[in-house]
Amino acid sequence: MATSHDENKEKAIKYEYLDHTADVQLHAWGDDLKEAFEQVATAMFGYMTELDKVEIEQTKEITAEGDDMINLLFHFLDEFLFLMCVDPYFIVKEVEILEFDKENFKIRAIGRGEAFDLDKHPQGTEVKAITYSNMQIYDENDKHEVYVIIDI
């Protein structure tokens, strides 16, 4: 039986592995945990556009609840991300937490900013989601920090 010459040849490899970064880690801190939460939300919006181009024309209120502090931080950021995902897209320049209940894991906060406008706001990187991956919260006497990885 005749064997085709190609049957015994190895197929050429026609693929490669390329490095791809789909995540960015945000690190924020403050004089207390409330400020660290405010700062990490602001950092997320700063990744989407240049915040110095954003004017404060409107205020949007969000509420978030969680089962623990990590879950609360996730929902807090997710609520703010939602503002940028629904039309009209709202870009936040400043975040202020009005109520921060660390015992019952509830937050009421406002974001100050304006409708996102590509003619005015340089488009940075789209944030697709907040992740729980390696999320960290430190709330000690002299250390109030959060680390959050966002999917971009």
Side-chain angles (χ1 to χ4, degrees), residues 30-48:
D31 293 337
D32 54 24
L33 193 58
K34 177 175 152 274
E35 185 181 18
F37 272 51
E38 292 168 343
Q39 289 293 318
V40 78
T42 304
M44 177 179 69
F45 284 103
Y47 207 76
M48 294 184 227

Side-chain angles (χ1 to χ4, degrees), residues 84-97:
M84 188 60 187
C85 296
V86 293
D87 196 11
Y89 311 112
F90 189 74
I91 190 80
V92 173
K93 179 175 186 150
E94 293 176 1
V95 173
E96 180 183 356
I97 295 176

Side-chain angles (χ1 to χ4, degrees), residues 104-124:
N104 297 302
F105 312 114
K106 294 180 182 181
I107 288 178
R108 187 171 68 88
I110 55 172
R112 297 181 185 98
E114 66 181 325
F116 185 77
D117 180 354
L118 273 174
D119 293 332
K120 180 178 181 181
H121 306 115
Q123 187 166 7

Side-chain angles (χ1 to χ4, degrees), residues 18-108:
L18 303 173
D19 287 333
H20 174 66
T21 302
D23 300 318
V24 121
Q25 186 173 42
L26 305 176
H27 172 215
W29 56 93
D31 293 337
D32 54 24
L33 193 58
K34 177 175 152 274
E35 185 181 18
F37 272 51
E38 292 168 343
Q39 289 293 318
V40 78
T42 304
M44 177 179 69
F45 284 103
Y47 207 76
M48 294 184 227
T49 194
E50 296 172 22
L51 294 182
D52 60 345
K53 306 270 197 273
V54 178
E55 293 180 43
I56 296 174
E57 295 182 352
Q58 297 175 27
T59 299
K60 303 268 184 172
E61 183 172 317
I62 64 102
T63 57
E65 294 184 25
D67 300 322
D68 56 30
M69 288 305 288
I70 293 282
N71 191 243
L72 178 61
L73 177 56
F74 175 89
H75 287 289
F76 169 71
L77 291 173
D78 199 46
E79 287 295 324
F80 272 115
L81 181 58
F82 183 73
L83 294 177
M84 188 60 187
C85 296
V86 293
D87 196 11
Y89 311 112
F90 189 74
I91 190 80
V92 173
K93 179 175 186 150
E94 293 176 1
V95 173
E96 180 183 356
I97 295 176
L98 305 172
E99 295 174 21
F100 191 37
D101 184 343
K102 294 196 289 187
E103 285 75 43
N104 297 302
F105 312 114
K106 294 180 182 181
I107 288 178
R108 187 171 68 88

